[in-house]
CSV table of all heavy atoms in Angstrom, one decimal:
chain,number,residue,atom,x,y,z
A,100,LYS,N,106.1,94.2,109.9
A,100,LYS,CA,105.9,94.3,111.3
A,100,LYS,C,104.5,93.9,111.7
A,100,LYS,O,104.3,93.1,112.6
A,100,LYS,CB,106.2,95.7,111.8
A,100,LYS,CG,107.6,96.2,111.7
A,100,LYS,CD,107.8,97.6,112.3
A,100,LYS,CE,107.1,98.7,111.6
A,100,LYS,NZ,107.7,99.0,110.3
A,101,SER,N,103.5,94.4,111.0
A,101,SER,CA,102.1,94.1,111.4
A,101,SER,C,101.8,92.6,111.2
A,101,SER,O,101.2,92.0,112.0
A,101,SER,CB,101.2,95.0,110.6
A,101,SER,OG,101.3,96.3,110.9
A,102,THR,N,102.2,92.1,110.0
A,102,THR,CA,102.0,90.7,109.7
A,102,THR,C,102.7,89.8,110.7
A,102,THR,O,102.1,88.8,111.2
A,102,THR,CB,102.5,90.4,108.3
A,102,THR,OG1,101.7,91.1,107.4
A,102,THR,CG2,102.4,88.9,108.0
A,103,THR,N,103.9,90.0,111.0
A,103,THR,CA,104.7,89.2,111.9
A,103,THR,C,104.2,89.3,113.4
A,103,THR,O,104.1,88.2,114.1
A,103,THR,CB,106.2,89.5,111.9
A,103,THR,OG1,106.6,89.5,110.5
A,103,THR,CG2,107.0,88.5,112.6
A,104,THR,N,103.8,90.5,113.8
A,104,THR,CA,103.2,90.6,115.1
A,104,THR,C,102.0,89.8,115.3
A,104,THR,O,101.7,89.1,116.3
A,104,THR,CB,102.9,92.1,115.4
A,104,THR,OG1,104.2,92.8,115.4
A,104,THR,CG2,102.3,92.3,116.8
A,105,ASN,N,101.1,89.9,114.2
A,105,ASN,CA,99.9,89.1,114.2
A,105,ASN,C,100.2,87.6,114.3
A,105,ASN,O,99.5,86.8,115.0
A,105,ASN,CB,99.1,89.4,112.9
A,105,ASN,CG,97.7,88.9,112.9
A,105,ASN,OD1,97.0,89.0,113.9
A,105,ASN,ND2,97.2,88.5,111.7
A,106,MET,N,101.1,87.1,113.5
A,106,MET,CA,101.5,85.7,113.5
A,106,MET,C,102.0,85.3,114.9
A,106,MET,O,101.6,84.2,115.4
A,106,MET,CB,102.6,85.5,112.4
A,106,MET,CG,102.2,85.5,111.0
A,106,MET,SD,103.6,85.3,109.9
A,106,MET,CE,102.8,85.1,108.3
A,107,LEU,N,102.9,86.1,115.4
A,107,LEU,CA,103.5,85.7,116.7
A,107,LEU,C,102.5,85.7,117.8
A,107,LEU,O,102.5,84.8,118.7
A,107,LEU,CB,104.7,86.7,117.1
A,107,LEU,CG,105.4,86.5,118.4
A,107,LEU,CD1,106.0,85.1,118.5
A,107,LEU,CD2,106.5,87.5,118.5
A,108,ALA,N,101.6,86.6,117.8
A,108,ALA,CA,100.5,86.6,118.8
A,108,ALA,C,99.7,85.4,118.7
A,108,ALA,O,99.3,84.7,119.7
A,108,ALA,CB,99.7,87.9,118.7
A,109,ALA,N,99.4,84.9,117.5
A,109,ALA,CA,98.6,83.7,117.3
A,109,ALA,C,99.3,82.5,117.8
A,109,ALA,O,98.7,81.6,118.4
A,109,ALA,CB,98.2,83.6,115.8
A,110,ILE,N,100.6,82.4,117.5
A,110,ILE,CA,101.4,81.3,118.0
A,110,ILE,C,101.4,81.2,119.5
A,110,ILE,O,101.3,80.1,120.1
A,110,ILE,CB,102.9,81.3,117.4
A,110,ILE,CG1,102.8,81.2,115.9
A,110,ILE,CG2,103.7,80.3,118.0
A,110,ILE,CD1,104.2,81.5,115.2
A,111,MET,N,101.6,82.4,120.1
A,111,MET,CA,101.6,82.4,121.6
A,111,MET,C,100.2,82.0,122.2
A,111,MET,O,100.2,81.2,123.2
A,111,MET,CB,101.9,83.8,122.1
A,111,MET,CG,103.4,84.2,121.8
A,111,MET,SD,104.5,83.1,122.7
A,111,MET,CE,106.0,84.0,122.5
A,112,ARG,N,99.2,82.4,121.5
A,112,ARG,CA,97.8,82.0,122.0
A,112,ARG,C,97.6,80.5,121.9
A,112,ARG,O,97.0,79.8,122.7
A,112,ARG,CB,96.8,82.8,121.2
A,112,ARG,CG,96.7,84.2,121.6
A,112,ARG,CD,95.6,85.0,120.9
A,112,ARG,NE,95.6,86.4,121.2
A,112,ARG,CZ,95.8,87.4,120.4
A,112,ARG,NH1,96.0,87.1,119.1
A,112,ARG,NH2,95.7,88.6,120.8
A,113,GLN,N,98.2,79.9,120.8
A,113,GLN,CA,98.1,78.4,120.6
A,113,GLN,C,98.8,77.7,121.7
A,113,GLN,O,98.5,76.6,122.1
A,113,GLN,CB,98.6,78.0,119.3
A,113,GLN,CG,97.6,78.2,118.1
A,113,GLN,CD,96.4,77.4,118.2
A,113,GLN,OE1,96.4,76.3,118.8
A,113,GLN,NE2,95.3,77.8,117.7
A,114,HIS,N,99.8,78.4,122.3
A,114,HIS,CA,100.6,77.8,123.4
A,114,HIS,C,99.9,78.1,124.8
A,114,HIS,O,100.5,77.7,125.8
A,114,HIS,CB,102.0,78.3,123.4
A,114,HIS,CG,102.9,77.6,122.4
A,114,HIS,ND1,102.9,78.0,121.1
A,114,HIS,CD2,103.8,76.6,122.5
A,114,HIS,CE1,103.8,77.2,120.5
A,114,HIS,NE2,104.3,76.4,121.3
A,115,GLY,N,98.7,78.7,124.8
A,115,GLY,CA,98.0,78.8,126.0
A,115,GLY,C,98.2,80.2,126.7
A,115,GLY,O,97.7,80.4,127.8
A,116,LEU,N,98.9,81.1,126.1
A,116,LEU,CA,99.2,82.4,126.7
A,116,LEU,C,98.1,83.4,126.4
A,116,LEU,O,97.6,83.4,125.3
A,116,LEU,CB,100.5,82.9,126.3
A,116,LEU,CG,101.8,82.4,127.1
A,116,LEU,CD1,102.0,81.0,126.8
A,116,LEU,CD2,103.0,83.3,126.8
A,117,THR,N,97.8,84.2,127.3
A,117,THR,CA,96.9,85.4,127.1
A,117,THR,C,97.8,86.5,126.6
A,117,THR,O,98.7,86.9,127.3
A,117,THR,CB,96.1,85.8,128.3
A,117,THR,OG1,95.4,84.7,128.8
A,117,THR,CG2,95.2,86.9,128.0
A,118,VAL,N,97.4,87.1,125.4
A,118,VAL,CA,98.3,88.0,124.7
A,118,VAL,C,97.7,89.4,124.6
A,118,VAL,O,96.5,89.5,124.2
A,118,VAL,CB,98.7,87.5,123.3
A,118,VAL,CG1,99.6,88.5,122.6
A,118,VAL,CG2,99.4,86.1,123.4
A,119,PHE,N,98.5,90.4,125.0
A,119,PHE,CA,98.1,91.8,124.6
A,119,PHE,C,98.9,92.2,123.4
A,119,PHE,O,100.2,92.0,123.4
A,119,PHE,CB,98.3,92.8,125.7
A,119,PHE,CG,98.2,94.2,125.3
A,119,PHE,CD1,97.0,94.8,125.0
A,119,PHE,CD2,99.4,95.0,125.1
A,119,PHE,CE1,96.9,96.1,124.5
A,119,PHE,CE2,99.3,96.3,124.7
A,119,PHE,CZ,98.0,96.8,124.3
A,120,THR,N,98.3,92.7,122.4
A,120,THR,CA,99.0,93.2,121.2
A,120,THR,C,98.4,94.5,120.7
A,120,THR,O,97.2,94.7,120.9
A,120,THR,CB,99.1,92.1,120.1
A,120,THR,OG1,100.0,92.5,119.1
A,120,THR,CG2,97.7,91.8,119.5
A,121,ASN,N,99.2,95.3,120.0
A,121,ASN,CA,98.6,96.5,119.4
A,121,ASN,C,98.1,96.2,118.0
A,121,ASN,O,98.7,95.3,117.3
A,121,ASN,CB,99.7,97.6,119.4
A,121,ASN,CG,101.0,97.2,118.9
A,121,ASN,OD1,101.4,96.0,118.9
A,121,ASN,ND2,101.8,98.1,118.4
A,122,PRO,N,97.1,96.9,117.6
A,122,PRO,CA,96.6,96.6,116.2
A,122,PRO,C,97.6,97.1,115.2
A,122,PRO,O,98.4,97.9,115.5
A,122,PRO,CB,95.3,97.4,116.2
A,122,PRO,CG,95.5,98.5,117.2
A,122,PRO,CD,96.3,97.9,118.3
A,123,SER,N,97.5,96.5,114.0
A,123,SER,CA,98.4,96.9,112.9
A,123,SER,C,98.3,98.4,112.7
A,123,SER,O,97.3,99.0,112.7
A,123,SER,CB,98.1,96.2,111.6
A,123,SER,OG,96.8,96.6,111.1
A,124,GLY,N,99.5,99.1,112.6
A,124,GLY,CA,99.6,100.5,112.5
A,124,GLY,C,99.7,101.2,113.8
A,124,GLY,O,100.2,102.4,113.8
A,125,GLY,N,99.3,100.6,114.9
A,125,GLY,CA,99.3,101.3,116.2
A,125,GLY,C,100.7,101.1,116.9
A,125,GLY,O,100.7,100.6,118.0
Side-chain angles (χ1 to χ4, degrees):
K100 296 185 291 293
S101 297
T102 295
T103 307
T104 299
N105 193 38
M106 290 176 169
L107 179 54
I110 294 169
M111 290 299 193
R112 291 185 179 114
Q113 281 293 332
H114 282 83
L116 276 70
T117 303
V118 177
F119 167 72
T120 188
N121 47 336
S123 66

